Amino acid sequence: MTIELPALPWPKDSLAPHISVETLDYHHGKHHQAYVTNLNKLIAGTPQENASLEEIVKNSSGGIFNNAAQVWNHTFYWNSMKPGGGGEPTGAIADAINASFGSYAAVLEQFVAAATTQFGSGWAWLVKSGDKLEIVKTGNAETPLTTDKKPLLTIDVWEHAYYVDYRNARPKYIDTFLDSLINWDFANANLAG
Ligand code: FE2
C-alpha cells in the first residue's frame, strides 16, 4: 500500500511562537514528506509494498528502515505536542512517573539530559519497559518501536526541528517543548493502549 503523509494533528499556526509555521512548512511539508516519498519509491515492487508502516519499520534495514522509521517517528512526534500543552502530567501517566522516577522533577531531569546529550541527530523518548517507565535516546532514525519498549512520547532533536526558531540553542527548544508543548494526553492514551 502507498504510505501517506498524515496531516498535522493541529492547525499549522497553533504552536507559535514556540514552533513556527516556517519550521512546520519545512519539517512536515519537506522533511517528513521526503521520507514518505523516498519510502514509497524504495518499497515499490518489493514484498514490503503491501506491508503496514509498523511492519516495515520492524522488518527492514538500510535505506528502507531509515525512511520508514523517520516516517513513523515524525508522526509520533507531532502527536507528542499540542497547542497549550506542557507542564505537569495528570492521570495514569502522572502515577506511573511517580512510581518509576520518584517525581516529575526527576523524569524531567532525565528527559532533558537524554535530549541534550544525544550527539548529533536523534530522538529522546519516554517509554514503558515492562512495568516501569524509562527515558531512552536513539540516534538518527533509530526507534524504540523495534525493541520490546513501548513508546509513550518523543522529542525530535535533529537540528531541522529547532534551527529556524532556536538556531543552535537545543536546550532552549527542549525546555520550551516541556513547558509549553508536551502532550500528556497522548502519553496517557499510549499507556492505556
Ligand atoms: Fe525531524
Side-chain angles (χ1 to χ4, degrees):
M1 80 187 144
T2 303
I3 304 296
E4 307 273 356
L5 178 71
L8 291 168
W10 17 254
K12 202 194 285 180
D13 61 357
S14 64
L15 300 190
H18 312 301
I19 303 279
S20 64
V21 169
E22 185 183 357
T23 288
L24 292 167
D25 277 340
Y26 278 86
H27 200 181
H28 179 255
K30 308 264 188 218
H31 291 284
H32 198 180
Q33 176 67 67
Y35 296 128
V36 170
T37 302
N38 291 339
L39 178 60
N40 282 317
K41 280 186 194 158
L42 288 166
I43 61 174
T46 78
Q48 286 174 310
E49 193 173 36
N50 296 313
S52 69
L53 179 61
E54 287 78 5
E55 288 169 336
I56 297 171
V57 173
K58 289 176 180 173
N59 299 297
S60 63
S61 59
I64 292 182
F65 171 80
N66 286 335
N67 284 281
Q70 284 294 80
V71 173
W72 192 91
N73 290 347
H74 279 89
T75 301
F76 199 81
Y77 167 62
W78 307 134
N79 284 291
S80 295
M81 301 186 284
K82 68 172 186 179
E88 296 205 16
T90 55
I93 195 75
D95 297 338
I97 283 171
N98 286 332
S100 296
F101 299 95
S103 67
Y104 177 58
V107 75
L108 276 192
E109 191 177 323
Q110 285 193 33
F111 189 88
V112 168
T116 307
T117 62
Q118 171 53 43
F119 185 75
S121 298
W123 305 80
W125 306 79
L126 175 66
V127 299
K128 183 163 185 263
S129 178
D131 294 334
K132 286 274 205 181
L133 304 194
E134 291 176 0
I135 299 293
V136 297
K137 56 184 178 179
T138 60
N140 297 318
E142 292 294 327
T143 174
L145 193 62
T146 58
T147 72
D148 57 1
K149 299 177 197 296
K150 182 180 176 61
L152 302 176
L153 279 174
T154 196
I155 183 171
D156 185 346
V157 293
W158 285 58
E159 262 188 5
H160 66 217
Y162 58 88
Y163 204 80
V164 169
D165 296 321
Y166 300 88
R167 296 305 173 194
N168 61 331
R170 189 194 287 188
K172 187 163 177 238
Y173 158 67
I174 296 164
D175 285 346
T176 302
F177 176 89
L178 291 166
D179 290 342
S180 305
L181 296 170
I182 196 169
N183 181 2
W184 291 113
D185 298 339
F186 184 57
N188 268 315
N190 289 322
L191 188 64

